[in-house]
Amino acid sequence: MKYRLTLLSVMMLLLPVSADPYCHQDECFTDKAELVVPNGQIVHIYYNSLFEIGENWFIVIWLENSTDNDIDLVFDFGGDISKSVEIKSGSSNYTDSLSFSGSTFSSERFDTELNVSFNGNNHIILEIDINKKPAEDMVYLWGGMSVFWFAIGAYVLYISNKLRELSKKVKSNNE
Amino acid sequence: MKYFRELVGSLGFLLILCTIYFGLIHVGPAKFFTAPNAQKLFYLHVPSGLITYLAFMMVVGGSSFYLYNKSNYADNIAKCSAELGLVFGFMSLSSGTFWMKAEWGGDIVSRFLTDMRLATTLAMWLLYIAYVVYRRQPETSNLKKNAAILGLSGMLMIPLSYFSSRFLRSHHPVIVGTEDQGSLDPSLRLGLYMGILGFLLLYYFLFMLRFRIEELEKTYLEKRMENV
């Protein structure tokens, strides 16, 4: 029992902390944006400017005070990649989140624009870098390639040294 | 032509660079492989493996001629080619090990002990290490004869290694000389043939250079003996 508890504690400490979908603290996300909606209300948007392909990408929306009208927020990457969140009127201290699947993108794209619009009117643009992690087998590819060049290089060095030394010997012998 | 050897070497080197460009960039990630990036080692692994067989066959040929008519020329061919066989064999074995680890996973040592293609190829390579080490002694006719006998053992080791994946227990794929060769993707085939030609030219260049060194060394030793 004691062993299991210790193991569980160690695992909890070691497991990577993923972004909590409802956390709207600055330490949970690297970036923050604000969208002003009517009545001077501000919708806070928390996000990471780095989208890792293969990992779900979260956005957290937080509205501190209640609204008089419904708010329809649309997050649009373009090319039919969009999602929306509806904030009902009267919602106070409203928190919601949405996510884009890790397979939304397949290749790297830097400074990709994410258009966040409110009821189709006001909008802000967030710049997102879409990153593709290097494949795990790349290290084996470069290992194999390096060994190949090392073998050719070492052998050429060996025979050229041998040829130079021999040429010197032959020259001195002739003299 | 004065610089024929250098020209062949440069052309071989250029072809290898083209093969690497072709394999790494032009073709794109391989399909149907667990490790699609490590699969690119195919373009170096297969040609270097084939050149290893060629080099060791030259040792067998040279050794046979030496035993038949005591030709020093044939003995030199065997000696120089054995060294090159070790270099190309090292390339083939190491690139194969990296690729195997990425594609098949598991323990490398147990793979070498249980897969007959890997085991016999390593045994062949170790045999010729013994040959090269043995030849580092001062040359006598007795040493040459013993070395030629050792070199001739490749007559058994080369076919054993080459055909082991066909007839013995092995995971190693068989492409050359089978129906799979015809069904190879044309882009893959082009890279493979370019690699083989590149490695062949590089082998020729290195062999001629090594042969020249051997001849120079013998001439030097003969002159030195005359002076003494």
Side-chain angles (χ1 to χ4, degrees):
Chain A
M1 188 65 184
K2 195 179 171 185
Y3 170 74
R4 281 188 178 177
L5 276 173
T6 315
L7 190 70
L8 198 66
S9 315
V10 170
M11 280 180 72
M12 283 171 75
L13 284 170
L14 291 177
L15 279 174
V17 183
S18 56
D20 176 0
Y22 289 100
C23 169
H24 52 76
Q25 305 298 319
D26 286 350
E27 63 264 27
C28 297
F29 291 92
T30 57
D31 299 273
K32 191 168 102 177
E34 291 173 347
L35 181 67
V36 181
V37 294
N39 301 331
Q41 294 281 28
I42 297 171
V43 177
H44 300 271
I45 300 163
Y46 295 86
Y47 66 103
N48 287 331
S49 59
L50 189 68
F51 186 123
E52 291 281 7
I53 292 172
E55 292 175 13
N56 288 344
W57 188 73
F58 293 98
I59 293 174
V60 165
I61 302 116
W62 176 48
L63 185 71
E64 196 171 359
N65 300 314
S66 61
T67 61
D68 298 333
N69 303 310
D70 289 355
I71 299 172
D72 192 17
L73 286 174
V74 180
F75 296 82
D76 187 11
F77 273 110
D80 291 339
I81 305 171
S82 70
K83 289 207 171 178
S84 60
V85 171
E86 192 183 352
I87 304 172
K88 293 282 183 191
S89 58
S91 306
S92 173
N93 198 17
Y94 180 87
T95 310
D96 202 350
S97 77
L98 60 87
S99 69
F100 285 88
S101 154
S103 58
T104 306
F105 300 101
S106 57
S107 56
E108 281 185 340
R109 280 161 58 183
F110 299 108
D111 299 328
T112 305
E113 292 185 349
L114 174 63
N115 191 3
V116 185
S117 60
F118 151 70
N119 289 359
N121 300 319
N122 292 4
H123 76 103
I124 54 169
I125 288 174
L126 311 180
E127 287 197 337
I128 311 294
D129 291 327
I130 296 159
N131 182 50
K132 192 173 186 178
K133 284 183 178 172
E136 283 177 11
D137 62 336
M138 284 297 270
V139 68
Y140 295 103
L141 171 64
W142 292 116
M145 288 276 173
S146 309
V147 165
F148 162 78
W149 289 114
F150 169 76
I152 283 194
Y155 188 70
V156 168
L157 206 67
Y158 163 71
I159 53 172
S160 50
N161 279 344
K162 201 167 179 174
L163 186 64
R164 196 170 48 241
E165 279 172 24
L166 203 62
S167 304
K168 269 185 199 171
K169 279 181 186 174
V170 170
K171 203 176 171 184
S172 62
N173 200 37
N174 288 342
E175 285 168 358
Chain B
M1 200 194 291
K2 197 181 175 186
Y3 294 107
F4 180 72
R5 190 178 60 198
E6 284 73 15
L7 193 72
V8 169
S10 310
L11 191 63
F13 187 72
L14 202 69
L15 272 172
I16 291 171
L17 287 182
C18 288
T19 307
I20 289 172
Y21 168 79
F22 188 83
L24 289 183
I25 297 159
H26 184 75
V27 177
K31 290 171 189 167
F32 317 119
F33 282 89
T34 312
N37 294 299
Q39 187 275 339
K40 306 291 175 191
L41 289 169
F42 166 84
Y43 298 100
L44 300 180
H45 172 70
V46 177
S48 57
L50 290 174
I51 298 301
T52 307
Y53 288 127
L54 172 74
F56 290 151
M57 280 196 293
M58 295 275 281
V59 181
V60 172
S63 301
S64 330
F65 268 103
Y66 178 78
L67 288 175
Y68 179 67
N69 59 9
K70 301 285 174 207
S71 157
N72 281 325
Y73 187 79
D75 180 62
N76 280 354
I77 288 176
K79 189 182 175 183
C80 299
S81 201
E83 224 176 81
L84 283 166
L86 290 187
V87 176
F88 284 96
F90 175 74
M91 285 180 204
S92 175
L93 281 168
S94 53
S95 59
T97 306
F98 275 103
W99 187 12
M100 170 186 76
K101 184 68 186 164
E103 186 68 27
W104 299 342
D107 180 41
I108 293 172
V109 177
S110 53
R111 287 268 182 209
F112 268 98
L113 292 175
T114 54
D115 190 302
M116 285 303 110
R117 179 60 174 270
L118 274 58
T120 50
T121 310
L122 183 65
M124 175 183 73
W125 191 69
L126 290 173
L127 174 86
Y128 284 104
I129 284 192
Y131 176 91
V132 170
V133 170
Y134 184 66
R135 297 226 57 164
R136 290 185 76 88
Q137 300 173 72
E139 293 202 339
T140 58
S141 59
N142 206 27
L143 180 126
K144 285 180 184 176
K145 191 181 84 184
N146 290 340
I149 293 166
L150 191 60
L152 260 185
S153 59
M155 260 172 83
L156 179 72
M157 289 308 295
I158 296 166
L160 188 65
S161 163
Y162 188 75
F163 292 110
S164 56
S165 49
R166 286 169 168 83
F167 306 117
L168 300 174
R169 194 188 129 176
S170 176
H171 276 92
H172 196 282
V174 184
I175 296 172
V176 179
T178 62
E179 285 179 5
D180 287 347
Q181 188 180 358
S183 62
L184 264 182
D185 189 86
S187 59
L188 208 75
R189 218 182 308 167
L190 178 66
L192 176 66
Y193 294 159
M194 201 155 62
I196 292 174
L197 184 62
F199 271 80
L200 190 65
L201 296 180
L202 190 70
Y203 168 78
Y204 174 82
F205 165 72
L206 291 173
F207 176 79
M208 294 309 284
L209 199 62
R210 183 66 189 85
F211 197 78
R212 172 89 187 112
I213 290 171
E214 198 57 31
E215 280 183 336
L216 263 177
E217 205 163 22
K218 295 230 160 102
T219 317
Y220 167 71
L221 285 174
E222 276 167 16
K223 275 195 175 177
R224 213 172 143 192
M225 290 297 281
E226 279 170 18
N227 291 343
V228 171

